[in-house]
């Protein structure tokens, strides 16, 4: 199969060197966050003196919308807004409305820590957001506070979740990163809490993203262990993926109480079906979450380059892509100066 252009009835297909089509675009709208999650933005690195991106280096909403539009010409249909914490960027609803006005974007979502969601849920939905994913690493304040290192209460995240549900931003997915010795005891309470609810929990293996979270393989709770923990109490059966590139392996409770997802980048890599590109808040294109370097798009969109020239550049980057970090992860790769997750979004 080769690249194909879009038509009124078909979406373009742009393939990388492993035959993976470009379909999902994750856009980080800020590198700032009001949390300091130990697996993403550890305080000893992202302390009070940390230099965040200056405003003039951050893509404007118009630049983001233009780039997203060009990516749809290559086959992107799903756009996810991320950060840092995307809701710390002002007037995000304006960007949502801009992206929503592009009919080629069929799924427009947001990943948030939920802390500001109660304030924005209704206006985000009004602007055209499809769904939200909320990060929540425990249900008890001591464990949650330890994971987010901002002593942020669970209740406020739950309030945001209710507001999002009320605004029609469901079905809500809840992302829980599990780190051994930190919150694995919170896995079962999390599973119990969301059974028979409209939300589904995705349990995420702790990953060696970036180069400052002090990752060790010993701190990873394998997805198989999480599955065993939950199914010992609530029997589960595997579900077929709904589409290529689905990140989570999904399981349904045999008693009908809903489903869970397992995201096992460390023990069960899924690079073979990875259809995701990422743009950082300052306009760099990354073709893998564990990349060391990106491709500068900001100078392109701020030059007099035409849409066709930028589209050709995006196509060339993707056509040459051969990332499969998780399949190649080793003691040597863990120490690489990989880009920080808070900079390109999960
Ligand atoms: S490691 Fe890179 S290539 Fe593999 S699934 Fe993750 S983002 Fe995709």
């Amino acid at each position: 199969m080769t690249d194909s252009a879009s038509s009124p009835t078909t979406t373009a297909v742009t393939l990388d060197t492993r035959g993976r089509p470009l379909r999902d675009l994750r856009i980080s709208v800020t590198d700032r966050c009001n949390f300091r999650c130990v697996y993403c933005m550890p305080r000893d690195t992202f302390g009070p003196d940390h230099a965040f991106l200056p405003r003039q280096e951050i893509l404007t909403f118009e630049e983001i919308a233009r780039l997203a539009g060009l990516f749809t010409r290559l086959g992107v249909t799903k756009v996810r807004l991320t950060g840092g914490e995307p809701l710390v960027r002002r007037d995000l609803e304006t960007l949502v409305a801009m992206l929503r006005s592009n009919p080629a974007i069929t799924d427009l979502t947001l990943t948030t820590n939920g802390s500001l969601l109660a304030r924005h849920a209704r206006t985000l939905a009004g602007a055209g957001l499809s769904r939200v994913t909320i990060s929540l690493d425990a249900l008890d304040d001591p464990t949650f506070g330890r994971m987010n290192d901002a002593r942020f209460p669970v209740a406020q995240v739950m309030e945001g979740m209710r507001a999002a549900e009320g605004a029609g931003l469901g079905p809500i997915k809840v992302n829980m990163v599990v780190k051994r010795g930190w919150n694995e005891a919170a896995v079962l309470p999390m599973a119990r809490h969301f059974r028979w609810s409209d939300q589904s929990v995705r349990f995420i293996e702790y990953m060696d993203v970036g180069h400052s979270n002090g990752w060790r393989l010993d701190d990873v709770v394998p997805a198989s262990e999480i599955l065993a923990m939950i199914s010992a109490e609530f029997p589960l059966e595997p579900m077929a993926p709904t589409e290529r590139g689905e990140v989570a392996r999904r399981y349904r409770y045999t008693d009908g109480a809903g489903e869970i997802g397992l995201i096992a980048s460390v023990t069960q890599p899924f690079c073979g079906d990875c259809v995701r590109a990422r743009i950082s808040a300052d306009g760099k294109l990354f073709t893998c979450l564990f990349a060391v370097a990106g491709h500068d798009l900001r100078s392109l969109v701020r030059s007099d380059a035409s849409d066709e020239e930028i589209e050709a550049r995006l196509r060339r980057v993707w056509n040459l892509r051969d990332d499969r970090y998780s399949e190649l992860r080793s003691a040597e790769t863990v120490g690489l100066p990989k880009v920080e997750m808070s900079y390109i979004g999960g």
Side-chain angles (χ1 to χ4, degrees):
M1 191 155 81
T2 57
D3 289 6
S4 64
S6 65
S7 75
T9 54
T10 61
T11 304
V13 175
T14 308
L15 303 176
D16 69 8
T17 60
R18 297 175 179 280
R20 299 169 293 188
L22 171 53
R23 197 203 53 219
D24 299 8
L25 180 64
R26 298 187 174 194
I27 304 173
S28 169
V29 296
T30 178
D31 62 337
R32 295 170 187 265
C33 185
N34 53 351
F35 283 12
R36 288 291 177 275
C37 298
V38 292
Y39 50 84
C40 174
M41 268 181 118
R43 196 173 287 285
D44 49 6
T45 303
F46 297 89
D49 308 328
H50 179 75
F52 289 102
L53 291 167
R55 176 185 287 279
Q56 67 279 13
E57 291 185 19
I58 300 246
L59 292 183
T60 64
F61 290 163
E62 290 73 16
E63 290 168 338
I64 292 173
R66 182 184 178 200
L67 281 172
L70 294 174
F71 270 98
T72 63
R73 295 183 183 183
L74 302 182
V76 164
T77 56
K78 298 175 74 166
V79 171
R80 178 174 292 276
L81 300 178
T82 67
E85 167 50 41
L87 292 177
V88 302
R89 179 138 181 200
R90 230 175 288 149
D91 305 328
L92 197 67
E93 287 82 354
T94 304
L95 174 61
V96 169
M98 283 177 176
L99 295 170
R100 176 43 77 211
S101 69
N102 181 340
I105 298 175
T106 56
D107 195 14
L108 180 56
T109 62
L110 175 100
T111 299
T112 171
N113 63 25
S115 59
L116 303 167
L117 195 49
R119 212 183 297 168
H120 291 275
R122 207 151 283 288
T123 48
L124 288 168
L129 191 70
S130 313
R131 288 176 294 118
V132 293
T133 296
I134 300 173
S135 306
L136 181 63
D137 298 323
L139 289 172
D140 65 289
D141 279 339
T143 308
F144 184 49
R146 199 168 163 235
M147 293 295 284
N148 65 46
D149 198 11
R151 305 287 171 261
F152 206 88
V154 171
Q156 202 161 332
V157 176
M158 289 304 201
E159 192 196 335
M161 198 179 293
R162 284 191 296 279
E165 203 65 59
L169 293 174
I172 294 176
K173 292 179 181 156
V174 178
N175 280 357
M176 175 184 183
V177 173
V178 183
K179 184 178 180 185
R180 195 178 297 286
W182 288 67
N183 66 336
E184 70 269 35
V187 166
L188 263 174
M190 191 75 106
R192 289 188 194 112
H193 179 87
F194 287 103
R195 276 168 49 83
W196 304 109
S197 78
D198 296 328
Q199 297 87 38
S200 66
V201 186
R202 288 122 50 97
F203 299 93
I204 304 175
E205 288 181 344
Y206 170 44
M207 295 180 284
D208 55 323
V209 285
H211 53 275
S212 54
N213 66 5
W215 186 85
R216 300 175 316 140
L217 188 57
D218 293 350
D219 297 335
V220 174
V221 180
S224 55
E225 191 177 323
I226 296 170
L227 184 62
M229 242 190 254
I230 299 172
S231 43
E233 188 166 329
F234 309 109
L236 288 155
E237 60 191 9
M239 300 169 71
T242 51
E243 61 188 352
R244 184 176 186 184
E246 194 167 58
V247 176
R249 289 171 184 246
R250 296 161 57 218
Y251 295 82
R252 76 166 64 83
Y253 292 111
T254 55
D255 62 1
E259 66 173 81
I260 64 162
L262 293 167
I263 299 181
S265 163
V266 178
T267 61
Q268 300 163 35
F270 38 83
C271 304
D273 288 321
C274 181
V275 296
R276 287 170 293 284
R278 294 172 171 87
I279 302 179
S280 63
D282 60 349
K284 289 206 182 67
L285 169 59
F286 292 88
T287 53
C288 176
L289 177 59
F290 301 92
V292 170
H295 307 263
D296 176 22
L297 302 181
R298 188 186 64 216
S299 55
L300 265 180
V301 288
R302 291 184 182 178
S303 75
D304 55 10
S306 67
D307 282 354
E308 287 62 36
E309 286 167 326
I310 300 176
E311 181 191 338
R313 177 71 190 283
L314 302 178
R315 183 187 303 284
R316 206 165 42 251
V317 170
W318 189 262
N319 283 159
L320 294 174
R321 176 197 189 225
D322 71 344
D323 299 277
R324 55 192 187 100
Y325 175 86
S326 285
E327 291 175 356
L328 302 172
R329 182 182 281 110
S330 68
E332 287 68 49
T333 66
V334 168
L336 290 171
K338 294 174 260 114
V339 64
E340 296 293 353
M341 183 154 86
S342 59
Y343 173 68
I344 59 168

